[in-house]
Amino acid sequence: MSETFTHRRTSRNATSYLMVTFAIVGLLVLMFGLQAHPFVVALFAVLIAPAIWSIIANTEARLSIDENSVSWQVGARGDRVDLDEIDYVRARTALDLSQRVAIFRNSGPKLHVPGPCLPSGRQLDEALEARGVKVKRLF
């Protein structure tokens, strides 16, 4: 019997702070260094706003795999699927090096696990395979 695999991540981490800082510095360079039109600066500011809100709200992402189910939650959104309902899991690394995971069920639509819930590397693959779930890894 395997113990419960749990992965948690909050949006207040060094990477988030670093990326938002770079984006704000880029906005300041556009405004004062390149003297960009205010419309262009406002457009880029709108693109940065969700990342800033995520840090302010400190959204937590969670993934848990126990002996019976896989569950995940990002903020108020989440889902759960029993292991015996899973046909296979397709995991892949996109060209931007982000992880994408889809759970294909025996019946019903496939489920996509949100990116912030996913651990780095092959930890998820190992945890699922330890519980008898077939994982197809692409790239």
Side-chain angles (χ1 to χ4, degrees):
M1 182 177 226
S2 301
E3 66 180 59
T4 301
F5 174 82
T6 304
H7 174 74
R8 292 175 192 252
R9 177 182 298 162
T10 62
S11 56
R12 288 185 188 166
N13 57 47
T15 305
S16 297
Y17 286 127
L18 188 64
M19 296 310 289
V20 168
T21 301
F22 281 140
I24 291 172
V25 167
L27 277 178
L28 293 174
V29 167
L30 277 174
M31 283 173 40
F32 300 113
L34 300 176
Q35 296 179 347
H37 192 277
F39 179 76
V40 173
V41 175
L43 179 68
F44 283 112
V46 167
L47 295 175
I48 297 168
I52 294 171
W53 176 250
S54 178
I55 290 173
I56 292 169
N58 194 24
T59 307
E60 181 181 76
R62 178 187 56 78
L63 174 77
S64 180
I65 305 171
D66 59 23
E67 290 303 315
N68 302 316
S69 65
V70 177
S71 62
W72 59 89
Q73 185 170 358
V74 177
R77 300 176 298 135
D79 209 343
R80 178 181 178 279
V81 62
D82 291 332
L83 291 178
D84 58 355
E85 291 180 27
I86 298 174
D87 185 24
Y88 67 94
V89 173
R90 184 185 67 206
R92 67 182 180 95
T93 304
L95 292 176
D96 63 354
L97 301 180
S98 64
Q99 299 288 324
R100 312 273 193 218
V101 173
I103 297 176
F104 289 83
R105 301 187 298 177
N106 295 324
S107 62
K110 67 181 174 182
L111 301 172
H112 293 277
V113 181
C117 296
L118 300 174
S120 59
R122 306 272 194 245
Q123 295 174 0
L124 179 63
D125 299 7
E126 294 167 2
L128 288 168
E129 288 171 346
R131 288 162 180 83
V133 176
K134 185 169 69 170
V135 178
K136 295 181 180 180
R137 170 61 70 171
L138 305 173
F139 181 66

